[in-house]
Every structure is written in structure tokens, then in C-alpha cells.
Amino acid sequence: MNTNYHVLGLLGLLGFTVGYILLLIFCEILNRKLKVDAEYTRKLSHVASVFAALIFFPIVFKNVGYTIALAVLFFVLLVTANVKKWLPSVDGVDRKTGGSYFLAFGLGATYFVSVLFDPSLVAFKLALLIFAISDPLAGIVGAKWVKSATIYGGKTIAGSLTFLFSALIICLLLFKFSPEYNSSMIGLSLMIALTATVTELISTRGTDNFTVPLVVAGMVIFYQFFVV
């Protein structure tokens, strides 16, 4: 591995750590000073983290080992913060969830798998776009319609349908600009959107932050290996 890649990886590790700490400080200000509900500051920290990974992981982490190191570092940081009660903007929600911990490993593992099996990184991009857009949209709609019919684990039909349709649109748009997927774009998009929705539905206590991106990436990679 080129020495420059290791230098870039170390700089990326440092940059992401500093950036994430600044993001958490910003969320704490919103929560403590401006009284923004923890559900929203938590979602903000998650979505910002995912988009940062989507944009910068392919640029700075040519050696994928650094993404695993980053996941472990963030896990230690978040567990410590939880024990010390430092981050009510992230941990101050009414339900028991380990979503923040699972998110760190979900991002690292999805990038690791995508780099190994999908040099185009379409799997990585799609997985993170669905997670960054469909998941918070489903949460917002589900919270608004919390008294509507539920399916499993307190999740609402409205929230799951929002996840399904938004994931389908994301798949169609991404595959439209990826020529190798054009021939089966609609069928593949439907399968991925449905599978991701079911995965999100049955993944409780924040595990969807790990399972959803990995399942989406896995389906794209499976298609590349066995269908294309």
C-alpha cells in the first residue's frame, strides 16, 4: 500500500474524529440552549455522519482498515459519553436504543465490503443514500402518525410505507445514471426497496443502523456477481 494512502488515512481519521466531535457539540447546543428535541438532534447527528461518510470515505480511506479503526474509535467515544451522560442530544430519547453504536460499525462495514467487491462503489452510495434519507423520513412520518396502525415493534404503517417509496425512488434515480443496471432497473429497485423496508422493520433497538446499509450493499453486490 502506498505510503501516501496511510498518510491520507491518518489525516482522514483525525479529520472525521474532530468533525464528529464538533457535530456533537453543535447538537448539544441545539438541545440544551435552544431546546431542540433529542429525537431531532439525534437524527441530525446520524444524517450528517452518513453524508460525510458518503462524500469523504472514498477520497480519504484508500486503505479500508482505517474505516474499521474509525468505527472502533467512535464506538469507544459514544459509550464513554453515554456512561458519563455527556450527550443528552444523542442519548436523551425515551426509548432504549444502541443506534449510534451500530451506526459507526454499519458505516465502516458497508464501506469495507463495498471496496472489496464493488470498485464502482454503487453499493456503498446506494446503501448510505437510503439510510440517510429513507430512515429519517420514516421516523418523522412515523412519529407524526404514531397513533396510526402499527406493524411490528411500535413502527407504523405510515412510516414503513414512507421508507419503501423513498427507497424505491432513490434506487431508480441512482440506477438511471449507472448504465450497467438499466436493463433491470425497475425490478432490482423494487427488490432492494422491499428488502430494505422489511430489514428496517424487524431490526429493533437501533440495529437497523447496521443491518439496512449492509443488506442494501449486499444485494447490489450479489446482483453484480450473479446477474450481470
Side-chain angles (χ1 to χ4, degrees):
M1 180 67 70
N2 193 308
T3 303
N4 291 334
Y5 287 172
H6 289 294
V7 173
L8 192 60
L10 288 170
L11 289 174
L13 198 60
L14 176 62
F16 265 94
T17 303
V18 172
Y20 189 60
I21 291 173
L22 291 175
L23 173 63
L24 292 177
I25 292 173
F26 177 66
C27 289
E28 284 303 302
I29 293 172
L30 290 177
N31 179 249
R32 298 188 190 197
K33 302 296 184 181
L34 302 180
K35 307 303 179 184
V36 177
D37 190 271
E39 286 287 354
Y40 294 105
T41 53
R42 180 185 178 87
K43 281 183 173 61
L44 172 62
S45 69
H46 287 187
V47 172
S49 299
V50 173
F51 274 113
L54 180 64
I55 295 169
F56 293 110
F57 271 20
I59 298 173
V60 299
F61 293 133
K62 304 299 183 181
N63 183 329
V64 293
Y66 286 104
T67 61
I68 304 303
L70 185 67
V72 173
L73 181 62
F74 279 18
F75 177 78
V76 172
L77 173 65
L78 290 167
V79 168
T80 303
N82 181 266
V83 172
K84 299 290 186 179
K85 308 298 182 184
W86 288 341
L87 298 173
S89 66
V90 174
D91 298 318
V93 291
D94 295 330
R95 64 191 186 281
K96 291 183 178 180
T97 175
S100 296
Y101 315 138
F102 288 114
L103 175 63
F105 287 107
L107 294 177
T110 302
Y111 185 66
F112 186 88
V113 170
S114 298
V115 169
L116 287 181
F117 299 105
D118 175 29
S120 69
L121 293 183
V122 171
F124 177 69
K125 295 171 186 175
L126 181 62
L128 266 62
L129 283 171
I130 287 177
F131 182 76
I133 298 173
S134 300
D135 189 70
L137 279 178
I140 291 170
V141 172
K144 183 175 178 61
W145 298 96
V146 70
K147 294 183 180 179
S148 67
T150 58
I151 308 175
Y152 177 81
K155 296 180 181 180
T156 65
I157 292 177
S160 292
L161 287 175
T162 300
F163 188 103
L164 174 64
F165 287 118
S166 59
L168 179 60
I169 292 170
I170 293 167
C171 289
L172 290 171
L173 288 174
L174 184 62
F175 291 149
K176 181 178 177 61
F177 295 101
S178 303
E180 65 271 31
Y181 298 95
N182 285 170
S183 60
S184 54
M185 181 174 69
I186 296 177
L188 180 61
S189 296
L190 279 170
M191 285 191 292
I192 291 175
L194 283 169
T195 304
T197 301
V198 173
T199 301
E200 193 276 337
L201 178 64
I202 64 177
S203 300
T204 58
R205 297 196 175 185
T207 53
D208 58 320
N209 291 0
F210 183 83
T211 58
V212 169
L214 270 182
V215 165
V216 171
M219 291 188 70
V220 175
I221 292 168
F222 180 87
Y223 175 83
Q224 291 177 347
F225 270 80
F226 297 101
V227 180
V228 175

